[in-house]
Amino acid sequence: HKYQHRRHNKNLLMAHIIFAAKYRKPILAGSVREDVMQSIYDTANDTRYIKKMETDKNHIHLLIQYDPTDSITKIVSRLKQHTTWRM
């Protein structure tokens, strides 16, 4: 992972986020899994956040990198907002 260089600082802010399916139902298989992953990538495409993503039957792990000026709450809300209807 690369540090982000700014005028007066250098940083590497990362977060591990887990999205679970409602009631932990094992719905992330086949085309549903691919659709959800694609939706997350599409949502984060303009923000360059996602460094790694892995899925299991009932949850998704994301490793994201973000700027100190970005709110982690807003990042998670945005990603969740675009995937909730698919899960």
Side-chain angles (χ1 to χ4, degrees):
H1 304 288
K2 294 184 180 181
Y3 282 91
Q4 298 171 346
H5 297 275
R6 301 284 186 252
R7 187 176 203 155
H8 296 287
N9 67 23
K10 180 167 61 166
N11 63 67
L12 178 61
L13 297 174
M14 302 193 81
H16 176 220
I17 300 168
I18 302 169
F19 290 134
K22 191 170 186 175
Y23 306 118
R24 295 289 229 166
K25 290 185 179 179
I27 61 170
L28 293 172
S31 64
V32 173
R33 176 184 177 272
E34 298 301 322
D35 289 346
V36 170
M37 287 178 68
Q38 189 60 51
S39 176
I40 291 171
Y41 276 123
D42 291 346
T43 301
N45 186 27
D46 59 336
T47 54
R48 307 171 317 277
Y49 291 121
I50 297 174
K51 296 300 175 190
K52 192 165 188 171
M53 180 178 358
E54 293 183 9
T55 65
D56 198 1
K57 294 178 281 188
N58 59 7
H59 63 278
I60 299 171
H61 290 266
L62 296 169
L63 179 63
I64 64 167
Q65 182 178 355
Y66 60 100
D67 292 330
T69 56
D70 295 335
S71 163
I72 189 68
T73 306
K74 288 181 182 179
I75 295 167
V76 171
S77 294
R78 185 172 180 199
L79 291 171
K80 190 171 181 181
Q81 178 182 22
H82 288 272
T83 58
T84 301
W85 68 272
R86 294 178 191 270
M87 291 178 75

